[in-house]
Amino acid sequence: MLVPQWRVTVNSRCKRACSYCRPSGESVATAMDAELAPTDLLRVAHAVRACGLTAVKLTGGDPALYGPLVEVVRRLRDEAGLTEIEVISRHPRIGDLAEGLARAGVTLFNVSDGVRHRSAPPRTPSSRQPAHLTPVRTRRAQAPDRVPTSRLHSNV
């Protein structure tokens, strides 16, 4: 049985122009204030939870560049009562945020294969992600303009 999930775009641009997100070559220039205000997000989260949904998928632009991300995740869990919080990111910064996000309540990370913590040792088959994340599924790129992705569960 499929469980409905609420998908939220927290910001509009990642300030990068990767071919897998912008195959048409669209511009990345966006107003600086093109972010979802945490108070607006939480207000809607309470209404969504009141309708019975317990899962949210945070996307963007790129959530790794959304300043209040860790605090918003904590509030989605603690105040709005969401129990499944997924973050989709292709930005390298997500590796540095991953442990804090996991502690705040992220249950699943969907990241590109190149994302990992900056202090991680050089890649080997056993060192592809931080220790507090467990791989669930990896998708190999099927086309030259797509990037391999991994889904990682939080161990925190």
Side-chain angles (χ1 to χ4, degrees):
M1 178 173 118
L2 291 176
V3 177
Q5 184 183 63
W6 178 40
R7 185 179 178 108
V8 178
T9 300
V10 295
N11 56 9
S12 62
R13 292 282 188 253
C14 71
K15 298 180 179 65
R16 296 166 55 136
C18 302
S19 62
Y20 51 86
C21 283
R22 299 190 212 314
S24 63
E26 68 181 278
S27 173
V28 295
T30 300
M32 291 296 288
D33 61 353
E35 287 191 341
L36 183 59
T39 54
D40 293 339
L41 175 57
L42 268 291
R43 184 173 57 250
V44 176
H46 285 281
V48 165
R49 181 64 186 102
C51 292
L53 270 74
T54 60
V56 62
K57 186 179 289 190
L58 301 177
T59 187
D62 200 303
L65 299 174
Y66 180 58
L69 182 62
V70 175
E71 180 64 15
V72 162
V73 166
R74 185 196 60 75
R75 292 180 68 189
L76 287 169
R77 181 193 65 196
D78 295 348
E79 296 174 24
L82 298 176
T83 58
E84 296 176 42
I85 302 172
E86 180 177 352
V87 172
I88 300 172
S89 178
R90 303 292 180 256
H91 196 280
R93 184 170 186 253
I94 201 69
D96 295 333
L97 296 172
E99 185 171 6
L101 287 167
R103 291 188 191 289
V106 171
T107 53
L108 188 65
F109 292 88
N110 186 328
V111 298
S112 67
D113 199 37
V115 172
R116 61 191 178 93
H117 193 276
R118 68 174 166 221
S119 65
R123 286 184 180 266
T124 67
S126 62
S127 68
R128 293 190 145 206
Q129 72 282 324
H132 50 276
L133 302 176
T134 301
V136 204
R137 180 178 70 201
T138 300
R139 179 182 62 86
R140 295 284 176 223
Q142 299 298 316
D145 65 337
R146 301 305 289 180
V147 67
T149 61
S150 296
R151 291 174 60 91
L152 306 164
H153 272 289
S154 167
N155 297 330
V156 178

